[in-house]
Amino acid sequence: MIVVPTLSLASIQGFPTRKDSERLNKSRPYHVLLHCSRVSDFKASEATSITCGQKRRCGCYDMHNVLVPYSVAWSWQKSIVKERKTLVEINQDLCDSLIVLQHHPVYTLGTGSSEDYLNFDLKDAPYDVYRTERGGEVTYHGPGQLVMYPILNLRYHEMDLHWYFRALEEVVIRVLFSTFSIKASRVEGMTGVWVGESQILGDQKLAAIGIRVSQWIAYHGLALNVTTDLTPFQKIVPCGIHDRGVGSIKGLLREHSLSKGAGMHHMEDSQLLDITHKSLVKEFSEVFQVELQQKAISELEFSKG
């Protein structure tokens, strides 16, 4: 079934659980359509703050080693966006936000996603299914996948959605090359990060991207398969793309002897996740030219909205 989020800090655990939820009201209004597939070249030099040469602050809520129910993270994002809009009105939006976490197994659809890409009956879904307000088609989130939810005021970066997609892709491309010597790329006409025989024939998608932007505040974000069990992807047509598959960093390290990543396939999953997380945060701060500030996470953060 398609479900609606319910908030509970107590439901954040270190192992997968499933809880029943109510059906999502599909008639909820959406502000803007935010699925972009047109590709433009990303230039690192463009990723600069416009705040008089100073890096913009970005509060980082680091839960990369915690499984967070999708409903909790989704509602948390929306509460932050609501607060940020209020701050924009009084010219006090001084800090962006970044949430890093993992999810319990879940399928999510974009606002215009087709249920034709689900290879199961919604009444007997293997995991909870959420229809969200992001762009894009269906995808899977689960343990071993690092999810980054940047909540950015694009007025202080670039007011250009194509630039934003390319910047998110750039973060992952840099991580894969600098940390694992994996040469990843974009694929023309598609969004995400791919590996394969060439930039044109990239046949495995390692990172999926889906966003929403409201009043130039962006949220949702990217998901990178690190040690993810890819089996649940077989129950869907990931991102609505029939002729390409999905991959993971762990799988690539196992299959190929990569010069810089040699031996990494022997690592424990937790070690591989920690290494990837450290690189993701570093490259994110460099691409978006922000100064990350670690934020404590309290129950209040999850009870808002």
Side-chain angles (χ1 to χ4, degrees), residues 77-148:
Q77 288 184 79
K78 290 187 287 187
S79 72
I80 293 175
V81 171
K82 181 179 179 180
E83 181 179 2
R84 295 280 300 280
K85 288 179 178 179
T86 301
L87 292 173
V88 167
E89 291 177 356
I90 60 175
N91 199 29
Q92 292 296 314
D93 184 32
L94 305 178
C95 182
D96 288 321
S97 303
L98 175 66
I99 301 171
V100 187
L101 47 72
Q102 298 178 55
H103 284 306
H104 295 285
V106 65
Y107 294 112
T108 68
L109 296 85
T111 180
S113 294
S114 171
E115 294 179 8
D116 292 341
Y117 295 129
L118 305 178
N119 298 327
F120 55 81
D121 187 336
L122 275 172
K123 296 180 180 178
D124 189 30
Y127 305 113
D128 285 340
V129 181
Y130 290 88
R131 182 174 293 279
T132 75
E133 70 275 65
R134 66 163 172 80
E137 292 291 343
V138 63
T139 194
Y140 165 78
H141 298 303
Q145 181 190 78
L146 289 176
V147 181
M148 297 184 74

Side-chain angles (χ1 to χ4, degrees), residues 12-293:
I12 299 176
Q13 306 172 25
F15 52 89
T17 62
R18 293 184 60 198
K19 292 187 177 181
D20 292 333
S21 303
E22 300 173 358
R23 288 185 177 275
L24 176 69
N25 179 2
K26 295 183 182 179
S27 64
R28 63 192 303 171
Y30 301 103
H31 288 89
V32 289
L33 178 65
L34 290 169
H35 174 59
C36 268
S37 59
R38 188 184 128 230
V39 175
S40 60
D41 292 333
F42 174 82
K43 297 179 181 178
S45 61
E46 292 178 352
T48 56
S49 173
I50 61 174
T51 54
C52 302
Q54 294 183 349
K55 289 187 176 181
R56 181 166 167 81
R57 291 185 295 116
C58 182
C60 181
Y61 298 91
D62 186 358
M63 305 177 72
H64 79 277
N65 57 355
V66 179
L67 293 177
V68 180
Y70 188 82
S71 59
V72 173
W74 186 17
S75 295
W76 188 16
Q77 288 184 79
K78 290 187 287 187
S79 72
I80 293 175
V81 171
K82 181 179 179 180
E83 181 179 2
R84 295 280 300 280
K85 288 179 178 179
T86 301
L87 292 173
V88 167
E89 291 177 356
I90 60 175
N91 199 29
Q92 292 296 314
D93 184 32
L94 305 178
C95 182
D96 288 321
S97 303
L98 175 66
I99 301 171
V100 187
L101 47 72
Q102 298 178 55
H103 284 306
H104 295 285
V106 65
Y107 294 112
T108 68
L109 296 85
T111 180
S113 294
S114 171
E115 294 179 8
D116 292 341
Y117 295 129
L118 305 178
N119 298 327
F120 55 81
D121 187 336
L122 275 172
K123 296 180 180 178
D124 189 30
Y127 305 113
D128 285 340
V129 181
Y130 290 88
R131 182 174 293 279
T132 75
E133 70 275 65
R134 66 163 172 80
E137 292 291 343
V138 63
T139 194
Y140 165 78
H141 298 303
Q145 181 190 78
L146 289 176
V147 181
M148 297 184 74
Y149 292 129
I151 304 174
L152 306 182
N153 186 339
L154 295 183
R155 297 176 183 87
Y156 293 96
H157 299 277
E158 291 282 335
M159 294 171 68
D160 181 336
L161 300 188
H162 300 296
W163 173 89
Y164 185 51
F165 277 107
R166 305 296 78 80
L168 290 174
E169 293 166 348
E170 183 72 12
V171 170
V172 177
I173 289 171
R174 291 186 183 191
V175 167
L176 294 173
F177 186 74
S178 66
T179 306
F180 303 107
S181 293
I182 296 174
K183 294 182 179 179
S185 62
R186 302 171 179 88
V187 173
E188 185 176 358
M190 298 182 183
T191 298
V193 176
W194 308 75
V195 293
E197 297 178 358
S198 70
Q199 292 187 359
I200 298 175
L201 299 175
D203 56 4
Q204 291 187 56
K205 191 172 191 177
L206 264 63
I209 296 173
I211 67 168
R212 175 187 168 107
V213 179
S214 179
Q215 298 177 27
W216 289 110
I217 296 178
Y219 62 114
H220 290 283
L222 67 86
L224 174 61
N225 296 326
V226 184
T227 64
T228 322
D229 176 8
L230 302 179
T231 306
F233 283 101
Q234 298 173 8
K235 298 287 187 179
I236 60 174
V237 180
C239 302
I241 303 171
H242 286 279
D243 58 348
R244 297 170 192 262
V246 294
S248 70
I249 293 175
K250 181 179 180 179
L252 288 174
L253 294 177
R254 184 174 58 242
E255 293 172 8
H256 305 287
S257 297
L258 302 171
S259 57
K260 193 173 180 180
M264 284 190 176
H265 63 284
H266 295 303
M267 283 187 176
E268 296 289 334
D269 285 2
S270 60
Q271 291 177 295
L272 193 53
L273 283 163
D274 286 344
I275 289 172
T276 307
H277 159 260
K278 183 178 180 180
S279 184
L280 268 173
V281 171
K282 173 181 176 291
E283 298 298 349
F284 175 85
S285 63
E286 291 185 0
V287 168
F288 287 96
Q289 288 293 290
V290 292
E291 178 184 348
L292 291 178
Q293 299 178 339

